[in-house]
Amino acid sequence: GEDVEQSLFLSVREGDSSVINCTYTDSSSTYLYWYKQEPGAGLQLLTYIFSNMDMKQDQRLTVLLNKKDKHLSLRIADTQTGDSAIYFCAERKGGGNKLTFGTGTQLKVEL
Amino acid sequence: GAVVSQHPSWVICKSGTSVKIECRSLDFQATTMFWYRQFPKQSLMLMATSNEGSKATYEQGVEKDKFLINHASLTLSTLTVTSAHPEDSSFYICSAPSGIADNEQFFGPGTRLTVL
């Protein structure tokens, strides 16, 4: 199976919080990332967390890392229609710069 | 954050022709760049690591003679799809690491290749 897994689709109402989950399998991952991809575009780096951290907050974004369970989540507060996109988590394994991407979660924000 | 550009943003070509895609780091230098391929509604698959001044490193299953990579300077890597066929049609995206210990990786806007 995939090294990094995500649920395929999430629908939320505007103004609610969104939580996108990701599970990975490699305990040697050093950094974990969240990227946003809008249709026909490249990937925008949203945030990342070092593996020795449990949480990182950046404005509306909160990343939680449970290293024991190899679980990563991205919470978007006050979700807006402009947040509609595909969100990818990615892991960087120890010693290199290569990233392994998750399957992507399509976030749809409804009015 | 750092900016990575790609050119062209989209290209349509006939089967059997070769297509070159450029990836540039605009405001930083990159000794390493990465080339990915993305099929519709799928994740990114790493094709190869482009190394400035040396040979590229290809992932398993990627034909090095089909996808030629040249990293001639610290700001430019090129991917040439040789003798393109319809199954090569895809979205090709490059990235380059930057920041402390290269902990941030920035992506280009992608190139949509359609082979007729």
Side-chain angles (χ1 to χ4, degrees):
Chain A
E2 295 284 345
D3 289 341
V4 186
E5 293 190 357
Q6 301 176 236
S7 52
L8 290 178
F9 185 80
L10 175 66
S11 177
V12 299
R13 284 190 176 178
E14 189 177 39
D16 288 351
S17 292
S18 307
V19 179
I20 302 171
N21 295 302
C22 171
T23 57
Y24 61 99
T25 59
D26 194 332
S27 58
S28 71
S29 295
T30 53
Y31 289 92
L32 295 128
Y33 301 82
W34 283 105
Y35 284 89
K36 175 184 180 183
Q37 185 179 34
E38 298 188 55
L43 273 69
Q44 175 193 353
L45 177 62
L46 291 176
T47 186
Y48 63 95
I49 188 168
F50 189 49
S51 59
N52 68 353
M53 297 170 64
D54 299 323
M55 185 183 89
K56 180 178 180 181
Q57 186 157 2
D58 184 359
Q59 300 182 333
R60 292 191 297 124
L61 305 179
T62 303
V63 179
L64 295 178
L65 175 60
N66 182 329
K67 202 171 178 182
K68 174 176 170 289
D69 294 338
K70 300 188 185 69
H71 183 265
L72 180 75
S73 68
L74 173 69
R75 179 177 180 269
I76 305 173
D78 187 25
T79 313
Q80 302 297 306
T81 53
D83 295 324
S84 293
I86 299 177
Y87 290 79
F88 291 97
C89 63
E91 62 175 344
R92 174 182 169 184
K93 298 177 184 179
N97 285 335
K98 288 199 291 188
L99 299 185
T100 300
F101 281 85
T103 47
T105 298
Q106 169 118 36
L107 174 65
K108 183 178 179 183
V109 182
E110 298 173 325
L111 296 172
Chain B
V3 179
V4 176
S5 71
Q6 279 183 246
H7 178 80
S9 52
W10 59 270
V11 56
I12 300 173
C13 69
K14 289 184 177 180
S15 189
T17 60
S18 294
V19 175
K20 180 187 282 188
I21 303 170
E22 293 184 348
C23 177
R24 293 182 187 271
S25 55
L26 295 187
D27 49 0
F28 67 103
Q29 294 182 332
T31 56
T32 302
M33 292 183 176
F34 299 94
W35 286 97
Y36 294 84
R37 184 173 180 176
Q38 185 181 32
F39 290 106
K41 299 192 183 301
Q42 293 190 24
S43 187
L44 281 75
M45 297 301 296
L46 179 64
M47 298 174 66
T49 303
S50 173
N51 303 300
E52 189 267 335
S54 64
K55 290 182 180 179
T57 307
Y58 290 82
E59 295 300 300
Q60 192 172 8
V62 178
E63 297 176 62
K64 59 182 69 175
D65 295 330
K66 172 88 175 157
F67 299 100
L68 299 178
I69 291 172
N70 184 25
H71 195 147
S73 77
L74 288 170
T75 58
L76 173 64
S77 173
T78 60
L79 168 69
T80 301
V81 183
T82 62
S83 186
H85 288 93
E87 57 266 29
D88 298 324
S89 298
S90 190
F91 194 54
Y92 292 88
I93 311 177
C94 70
S95 72
S98 183
I100 300 169
D102 287 341
N103 59 349
E104 294 179 312
Q105 197 161 131
F106 296 95
F107 283 77
T111 297
R112 171 75 58 196
L113 170 63
T114 302
V115 185
L116 302 177

